[in-house]
Structure formats: C-alpha cells, structure tokens
Amino acid sequence: MLLKRVVAREGEQVEFRAGRLYVNGKEIEEPYVRFPCNWSLPTRGVEKDCVYVVGDNRSMPIEGHHFGQTSKSRIIGAPLW
Amino acid sequence: MKIKYLLVGVVMVIIGIVLAATVFPSEEKRVKKRFYLLSEWVSKSPEESALIMLQKMKDIGTLFLEPCELRSPNEFLSGSYTRQEISAYAGTARSHFSQLNLKLYDLHVDFPEKEVAKVNLTARLIGRSKTGERVDEIRELDCLLKKMDRKWFFSQIEVIEVLKK
C-alpha cells in the first residue's frame, strides 16, 4: 500500500520545474514538502478516471521516487488527520 | 450414552473433513503452493551452498510452462522465455546477491476458464547485493497459470505499472 498526495485530477496538466509543482501552468504552493528538490518533469495530462499522485518526501532524485498517474479505482482510503 | 455416541460421531466427521482438506487440497491451494515454492526457491540465505544454489536454479525452471511470457513496463525484459532461459537468468540474478527474500502478499486467485488460473498479487523482493547495497523492490503482478498433468505452471507474468510517471 502506498500513501501519496493527490496533486492533480483527470484532464489537468502536471509538470515539475526546478523542484516546483505546476498544475495547468500555475505554480502550486506546497507547504507540506519539507525537503526541497530539483525535479524537472515535462508537462503531461492526467487521463480519464485517473489522478496524479506524489509523495511529500522529495529528498531523493526523481528516478528514485514512486509517483505518477494511477487509476482512481486504486484509491482505498484517505488519512484521518 | 446417546450423547456420547453423538459426540464421537461429530469428532470423527471433523477429523474426516480436516483429513480430506489436507490430502485433497483445493485447486486454489494448489495454485498458491506454486507461488510459495517460487518464493522459497528465489530466496537465498547468506550460507547457501553451491549445491543448493544449483538445485534451486533447476527447480525454478520447473514451475514454468514452455515458453512463458513476461510482460513488463521495461521493454527489454518483456518476451517469451524457455525453462532453461528462466533457470539461467534466475541463477545469474541470484548470483549478484548475498541474501534475498521474496515475499508474496494478497494473492487473489480466479479461475476464468477450466484449467486456467489468474492470480493478482504483490511481490516484495528484499535483499543485499554482494557489494553491500540494500534492495527493496515492490511490484504488483498479474499471473496466468495453466494446469497440465495435474500440476499448475506459470504461463504468463505481467508486471503492472501502478504509477505511470
């Protein structure tokens, strides 16, 4: 089981520029990210019935982090606090 | 007196059911047994001798149908493999590790048609390479097994891409 944050929904465009997250071209404030990163990821669209998830711990290189688009049907719960 | 006979009867029926379940396991248990064997033979202890290593290499191949298809998001791994190739690749991969432990979780077994089993599971490979590097990889797998001569064999293994970057 993976615990990840949903950062974008179907139809939205996601990208990382110099470690900052952009959704539909707009920079997202992410106060929950403790360790800065320098990730870069070209823009990609979130497909139908999918969400885009990323973890809050981004201290590792982008290749070593499990994140990306997944089907909504895989979501089994949400944190209680 | 009648209650005594009744109790003995009930106990005998329970023993019979337990014995039948042990001697004649369900198809689901037979399928799961193949996964437990795979887990046992892939796993490696630091003290494993060369003889046991060779035997395990040979044993791993016997679990697969010929050819067995592997589908993976890493295209260079995808393809059809013979038993001999599977044994050889498993042996080469194992030789890079001093310790390996393959753990399997959440096995869901379905029988979409006669003598075909479809199994969805989570596999976790934990180990240490000979250079001291720690490995901890988790993958979701969809497996297809076919029954031949009353035994189940892996005929297709697909690595599911849960998160697509």
Side-chain angles (χ1 to χ4, degrees):
Chain A
M1 198 185 301
L2 298 167
L3 181 64
K4 302 282 177 190
R5 186 181 296 273
V6 175
V7 297
R9 291 175 292 182
E10 67 174 67
E12 293 184 318
Q13 302 286 316
V14 191
E15 71 170 304
F16 276 99
R17 274 186 244 154
R20 310 293 297 179
L21 172 69
Y22 290 79
V23 176
N24 292 336
K26 189 182 165 195
E27 186 179 339
I28 304 296
E29 276 300 315
E30 294 188 288
Y32 41 79
V33 177
R34 287 187 181 180
F35 306 107
C37 67
N38 60 353
W39 295 359
S40 284
L41 190 77
T43 308
R44 59 214 52 222
V46 184
E47 291 166 18
K48 192 174 183 294
D49 295 324
C50 291
V51 288
Y52 206 88
V53 298
V54 188
D56 290 353
N57 179 5
R58 302 176 196 168
S59 57
M60 68 289 288
I62 194 166
E63 298 79 16
H65 189 83
H66 291 291
F67 73 98
Q69 174 173 277
T70 194
S71 167
K72 277 197 282 191
S73 63
R74 286 187 173 273
I75 299 175
I76 58 166
L80 291 174
W81 67 91
Chain B
M1 200 61 176
K2 275 182 183 174
I3 291 173
K4 195 177 166 186
Y5 284 125
L6 192 68
L7 277 175
V8 170
V10 169
V11 169
M12 285 180 74
V13 168
I14 291 169
I15 291 171
I17 291 169
V18 171
L19 270 176
T22 311
V23 178
F24 308 106
S26 68
E27 285 302 318
E28 187 176 329
K29 278 187 180 170
R30 284 175 201 260
V31 168
K32 284 184 176 175
K33 173 82 178 160
R34 305 298 272 174
F35 282 88
Y36 299 141
L37 285 175
L38 181 67
S39 160
E40 186 188 327
W41 291 337
V42 167
S43 297
K44 179 181 183 180
S45 72
E47 305 84 34
E48 186 178 280
S49 66
L51 201 65
I52 290 176
M53 187 191 78
L54 284 172
Q55 186 59 51
K56 281 186 170 181
M57 257 178 74
K58 196 177 151 196
D59 289 341
I60 287 169
T62 64
L63 293 171
F64 294 84
L65 207 64
E66 204 158 44
C68 177
E69 191 188 351
L70 177 67
R71 295 178 183 178
S72 166
N74 295 329
E75 282 190 12
F76 72 95
L77 284 174
S78 298
S80 287
Y81 297 91
T82 64
R83 282 179 179 164
Q84 212 175 356
E85 285 170 331
I86 291 167
S87 284
Y89 287 136
T92 308
R94 288 176 91 255
S95 70
H96 292 296
F97 295 91
S98 56
Q99 196 177 348
L100 266 182
N101 195 356
L102 176 62
K103 292 183 175 182
L104 306 172
Y105 302 95
D106 305 328
L107 280 88
H108 295 288
V109 185
D110 282 321
F111 296 96
E113 53 189 276
K114 201 184 170 197
E115 310 210 317
V116 175
K118 193 177 176 189
V119 185
N120 176 268
L121 71 145
T122 301
R124 184 177 188 188
L125 192 67
I126 309 164
R128 195 166 286 280
S129 73
K130 284 191 171 166
T131 54
E133 214 172 306
R134 189 176 149 73
V135 174
D136 190 349
E137 291 288 331
I138 302 172
R139 294 284 183 273
E140 184 177 326
L141 305 176
D142 264 346
C143 300
L144 212 63
L145 289 89
K146 289 183 179 167
K147 195 179 179 186
M148 289 183 76
D149 300 326
R150 295 195 292 176
K151 275 188 178 176
W152 288 95
F153 296 94
F154 291 91
S155 76
Q156 190 186 90
I157 297 176
E158 183 175 359
V159 182
I160 306 295
E161 193 175 32
V162 177
L163 295 171
K164 188 175 154 192
K165 276 182 184 166

